[in-house]
Amino acid sequence: LEARLAAAGPAESDRWAALLAQVDSARIDTIHGLCASVLRANAAEAGIDPDFTVLDEAEAPVLLADVIDAELARAAAEGRPALALFAEYDDSAIRAILSDSALLATCPDLSPDVDLLAGWQQAWRDQCRALADALLAGIDWPLVDEIMATLPADDKLADKWRMCYAYLEQLRGDDVYTTFQALTGVSPGNAGSKKNWRDDALLEDARAALRSIKGVADAAVRAIGADAPATSPLDQRAAELIPLWVALVRRVRASYLHEKDRRAALDFDDLERLTCDLLENHAHVRGRYRGAEFRHVLVDEFQDTNAAQWRIVQALAGLDRPGSLFVVGDPKQSIYAFRGADVSVFGAVRDQITTSGG
């Protein structure tokens, strides 16, 4: 701007001088600095103390570690069931899991009467059924009928097709997983003699169709897994341990929230979550910024944006207002996944912008 002002003629100098004068009032900040300023200005709607302090990337982990220490000490003193976790995991692994901000934010409650193993078993059956139905729906049945109607009496490929057809019929029943396993063993190889089949084309079609069915069965077995949850020792043990994890995680979360409330403090995750809620659930607050106080928004290092931050940006300058949003980034430089950055957001937003003509 200074260079353009220096080079401007009398007709344009006022314009460049005015723009240069506005630089000092530009809102330039980190995403968390932006969140803090929006929350302080709308503390009543956000339901927070406007004089809150922000726990930075060094302070928040220290406070959380202290909370975890206190909760584990209480668990030991009270002999809580969660202590059984130490028989499966070492101390550092437990602390690492309890320090996962995403887990602390999303861990749901778990009713005592929930039967996890039964739920997993039903989900497993549903997956088996869905994969079986997909295989059956994708078969060229007119071709299969033609193959079965012309099978030679004494031929290895014909024998494999008789087995395959029987297994396909069994897939309509309940024992889907065992049937899929059986189908993986039916491989055409080079079976089939040209002299036994009425024409070479049908022989090749029979081999190709059998090879395709086996391929789908192989993929289904990989997707389903080696064991049903009801018979898997790992699943059975997981069903015992997950309620212990849920109870411990929720205790740590409650204690961490209490400590932050006591100090009137927010961490970076709180800033993002509360700002998302504020802008998305209070139209009058959003209207104060969108297209008004913030007419244009530029986001730098956009490859390090996560989903919550993108929701905030959209609330301030969405793609429905052409010219209001400019993002800069390079997905090859995304290095902050450990902080929650999600490079897939960059790709999705880039696609949205180009699709809409930007």
Side-chain angles (χ1 to χ4, degrees), residues 21 60 82 95 102 106 117 119 163 178 183 185 190 206 254 271 275 298 301 316-317 322-323 333-334 353 358:
R95 291 176 184 275
T106 60
L117 199 61
M163 285 191 296
T178 302
L183 273 172
N190 292 319
L271 292 175
T275 304
L298 183 151
E301 304 293 354
L316 299 175
Q333 296 186 40
S334 182
I353 291 174

Side-chain angles (χ1 to χ4, degrees), residues 192-256:
S193 173
K194 290 184 179 182
K195 69 179 182 180
N196 295 334
W197 289 75
R198 72 184 189 192
D199 62 58
D200 293 350
L202 186 60
L203 172 59
E204 290 305 317
D205 286 345
R207 287 173 177 165
L210 190 58
R211 193 176 296 114
S212 175
I213 292 171
K214 171 182 162 46
V216 174
D218 289 341
V221 169
R222 288 194 299 270
I224 295 168
D227 299 296
T231 62
S232 165
L234 285 175
D235 285 331
Q236 292 170 3
R237 186 59 175 146
E240 297 170 358
L241 294 176
I242 284 178
L244 305 183
W245 273 118
V246 169
L248 185 56
V249 169
R250 290 180 66 83
R251 280 182 176 273
V252 168
R253 178 169 68 186
S255 295
Y256 186 45

Side-chain angles (χ1 to χ4, degrees), residues 69-83 86 248 251:
D69 285 343
E71 277 304 318
L72 293 179
R74 275 192 284 270
E78 298 170 8
R80 294 179 191 161
L83 292 176
F86 284 89
L248 185 56
R251 280 182 176 273

Side-chain angles (χ1 to χ4, degrees), residues 135-147 161 205 209 212-213:
L135 186 152
L136 293 170
I139 289 177
D140 184 348
W141 286 106
L143 174 61
V144 170
D145 291 341
E146 181 183 3
I147 292 170
W161 256 108
D205 286 345
S212 175
I213 292 171

